[in-house]
Amino acid sequence: MENTDRQEFEFDYVGFGTRIGAAIVDILIIVPIVLIIVFMFKDIIIQSKEYSIFFRIIINILLVIYKIFFNVRYGGTPGKLATKIRIINDRGCYITVDKAFLRLLPSLFYTVVSASAKHSVGNDMGIGLSLLLDLIIIFDVSFIAFNDKKRALHDYLAGSYVVTNESLLRRQGSKSKDDIY
C-alpha cells in the first residue's frame, strides 16, 4: 500500500547562468591567492621549465582540494554558497569525497592534457588539441540546456544535482526523521 502522507518534493535546479556567476565569484577568490603565491615564489618559478610545471601541478592540486573540501563540507564552493546554490546527491545530501572527485574528472582531464600538449607537442598540434579539449568542455556544460534537471555531464558522472539553497532548505524542512537517516 502506497504512503500518501509523503508528498513528492521537487528541487529548483540551477541552470547555466547562475553556475557561471558562481564560477566568477570563485575566480575572484582564487586568482588573488594564486597571484600572491606566484609573487612569493616568482624567482623559483622562472628558474626553469621544470619548476614552472611543478608549480602548476601544486596549484592544481590545491584547487582540487579546495573544490572537494567545500563541495563535501558545505555543498558548494564559496562561489556557489554566495550565489545560494548547492551540490547534492539523489537523496538531497551533500556529495561525498568520491563523488566530488568524479565531478572534477572532465576539468582534470582538460587540465592535464592541455598542460601536456603545451609542453610536449608542436605548436600546431597543441592548438588543435586545445580546440578539441575546448569542445569537450562545451559538450560537458551543454548538457545543462537539454535536460529538465539541468545536469552537466560531470553531474551525471557523479550522480550530482545543482539546486537552489532555498529548495534544499524547503526539502529538509519537509523531511521526516526517517527520511533524513
Side-chain angles (χ1 to χ4, degrees):
M1 178 178 333
E2 187 176 348
N3 184 353
T4 57
D5 293 337
R6 282 188 176 173
Q7 66 184 99
E8 188 66 28
F9 186 86
E10 189 66 26
F11 288 105
D12 297 328
Y13 299 99
V14 177
F16 189 72
T18 307
R19 289 181 184 213
I20 290 292
I24 290 170
V25 172
D26 281 328
I27 288 168
L28 291 173
I29 293 168
I30 293 168
V31 167
I33 294 168
V34 170
L35 289 176
I36 290 168
I37 294 170
V38 167
F39 182 75
M40 289 171 42
F41 295 99
K42 71 177 187 260
D43 294 334
I44 296 171
I45 294 168
I46 59 175
Q47 281 183 6
S48 73
K49 184 177 178 180
E50 288 78 23
Y51 284 126
S52 175
I53 292 169
F54 177 74
F55 181 75
R56 286 181 185 186
I57 291 168
I58 296 299
I59 292 294
N60 280 297
I61 289 170
L62 291 174
L63 290 173
V64 167
I65 292 168
Y66 165 88
K67 288 183 177 185
I68 290 175
F69 171 77
F70 280 103
N71 288 338
V72 170
R73 178 72 174 100
Y74 300 105
T77 60
K80 285 185 174 55
L81 302 180
T83 54
K84 298 182 179 0
I85 60 180
R86 299 293 184 272
I87 302 167
I88 60 168
N89 62 20
D90 59 352
R91 296 183 59 210
C93 301
Y94 295 161
I95 59 176
T96 58
V97 171
D98 59 325
K99 299 300 183 181
F101 183 78
L102 283 173
R103 283 188 100 246
L104 292 174
L105 279 181
S107 62
L108 287 173
F109 175 77
Y110 176 88
T111 301
V112 168
V113 174
S114 65
S116 299
K118 288 178 186 173
H119 292 288
S120 63
V121 298
N123 199 23
D124 291 340
M125 180 74 154
I127 291 170
L129 191 53
S130 278
L131 288 173
L132 176 64
L133 291 170
D134 290 343
L135 288 174
I136 291 170
I137 295 298
I138 290 168
F139 180 72
D140 173 31
V141 297
S142 68
F143 268 68
I144 294 169
F146 300 109
N147 63 82
D148 59 337
K149 294 186 178 173
K150 301 177 183 175
R151 297 173 75 191
L153 180 59
H154 59 265
D155 290 314
Y156 282 101
L157 283 172
S160 63
Y161 302 84
V162 180
V163 301
T164 64
N165 190 47
E166 182 183 338
S167 69
L168 179 60
L169 292 173
R170 273 195 324 260
R171 168 104 189 286
Q172 289 172 341
S174 70
K175 282 184 171 183
S176 71
K177 196 182 246 186
D178 293 333
D179 290 333
I180 295 170
Y181 300 106

